């Protein structure tokens, strides 16, 4: 039996953080043997917020290096950038014409963006449609994402169903994949960790940056001897990602009994995050030197993704009556 298709994207919009890592990037690495995988860089999506060619190019190259540093194997996966598959923009237009405005207005990400700034661009509004095109054009089965993107994957399913109903069976219905315990990684202020909230711990942070980020984690004012509820603590939420089972039990016990202050808890977290990040950072430094290799990987992945997309579009154009 042929392997199922796994696809997910990470935008080139600055440095990735541990929320991106546990929510999405790690999944792509862990599943690369089992699935036919398409990790990609949604540069067209990034255009909704990035308006500097220099930043776009730099961050696109960086995302490739980041993925390689955490163990994605370019021999096993098809790593590509979205703009190398221009067919998605064509498919988006077709989807635009079968999707209603009231439906799109229900997207959480759109509502959040609009609440912050009424002057948002049309790209932000039709963002889920482009994402549906990314997913459906490759016949994706599984889309690993954090909780914030789950609704977008459900919208892709809805759009596929609607297209199939109108024009006949064409698209596979994709499923999102959320890994329990890492659906929403909290940032240093307890909100969802996000580049746009300035509450991140970067995935390739230097030791002193890790200290600074962890020291800024918000806590309440309980003293060392006070009993603390681990589930209420932003530091403890991150211990869950970086501690061994035994260590986590021990920390939990000392939180509840009293005797562990937030300073000590942060010191343990700093050490564990530093130990976790150090090898990734070292690996990343080795790859940084090889710019040519990065370009080659994207080119190869792009050719495969584009070929599959073009095959799919032949069927779509036929179904909607664009090819004579
Ligand atoms: P950001 O919110 O920092 O801009 P992106 O939107 O680029 O992050 O997210 C890229 C991927 O990482 C998506 O699959 C998203 O769901 C996941 N992700 C982002 N932040 C988190 C988080 N705090 N916890 C879990 N997953 C996350
Ligand atoms: N919207 C996703 C994010 O912000 C990125 C993305 C674009 C994506 N196209 C996708 C993710 C297709 C999964 C599948 O994180």
């Amino acid at each position: 039996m042929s392997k199922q298709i796994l696809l997910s994207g990470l935008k080139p919009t600055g440095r990735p953080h541990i929320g991106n890592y546990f929510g999405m990037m790690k999944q792509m690495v862990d599943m690369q043997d089992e699935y036919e995988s398409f990790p990609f860089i949604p540069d067209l999506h990034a255009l909704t917020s990035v308006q500097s060619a220099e930043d776009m190019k730099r961050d696109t190259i960086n995302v490739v290096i980041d993925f390689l540093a955490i163990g994605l194997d370019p021999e096993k996966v098809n790593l590509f950038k979205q703009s190398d598959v221009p067919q998605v923009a064509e498919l988006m237009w077709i989807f635009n014409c079968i999707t209603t405005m009231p439906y799109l207005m229900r997207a959480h990400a759109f509502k959040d963006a609009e609440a912050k700034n009424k002057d948002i661009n049309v790209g932000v509004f039709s963002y889920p449609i482009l994402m549906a095109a990314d997913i459906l054009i490759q016949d994706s089965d599984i889309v690993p994402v954090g909780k914030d993107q789950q609704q977008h994957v459900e919208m892709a399913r809805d759009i596929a169903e609607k297209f199939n109903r109108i024009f006949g069976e064409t698209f596979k219905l994709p499923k999102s994949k959320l890994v329990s315990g890492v659906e929403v990684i909290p940032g240093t202020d307890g909100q969802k960790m996000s580049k746009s909230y300035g509450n991140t711990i970067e995935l390739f942070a230097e030791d002193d940056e890790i200290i600074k980020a962890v020291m800024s984690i918000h806590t309440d004012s309980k003293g060392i001897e006070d009993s603390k509820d681990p589930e209420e603590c932003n530091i403890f939420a991150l211990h869950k990602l970086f501690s061994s089972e035994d260590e986590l039990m021990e920390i939990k016990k000392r939180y509840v009994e009293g005797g562990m202050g937030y300073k000590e808890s942060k010191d343990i977290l700093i050490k564990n995050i530093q130990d976790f990040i150090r090898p990734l950072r070292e690996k990343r430094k080795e790859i940084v030197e090889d710019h040519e290799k990065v370009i080659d990987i994207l080119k190869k992945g792009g050719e495969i993704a584009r070929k599959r997309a073009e095959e799919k579009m032949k069927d779509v154009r036929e179904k909607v009556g664009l090819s004579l």
Side-chain angles (χ1 to χ4, degrees), residues 7-9 11 40 42 45 127 131 134-135 143 145 149 152:
L7 173 139
S8 194
K11 275 183 290 177
F40 76 102
H45 275 107
Y127 187 107
M131 184 160 157
D134 293 329
I135 295 171
V143 185
V145 284
Q149 293 297 321
H152 288 160

Side-chain angles (χ1 to χ4, degrees), residues 5 47 58 76-77 151 176-177 208 220 227 255 315:
I5 306 290
L47 279 175
R58 186 197 56 225
K76 290 184 185 156
V77 305
Q151 189 194 25
S176 59
K177 183 170 168 65
D208 56 336
D220 58 29
S227 168
Y255 259 68
D315 185 25

Side-chain angles (χ1 to χ4, degrees), residues 10 17 19-20 23 146 148-149 182-183 185 192-195:
L10 182 66
H17 50 74
N20 298 138
D148 58 335
Q149 293 297 321
V182 297
E183 299 97 332
I185 308 293
K192 180 194 100 130
M193 186 176 289
S194 173
K195 287 166 221 160

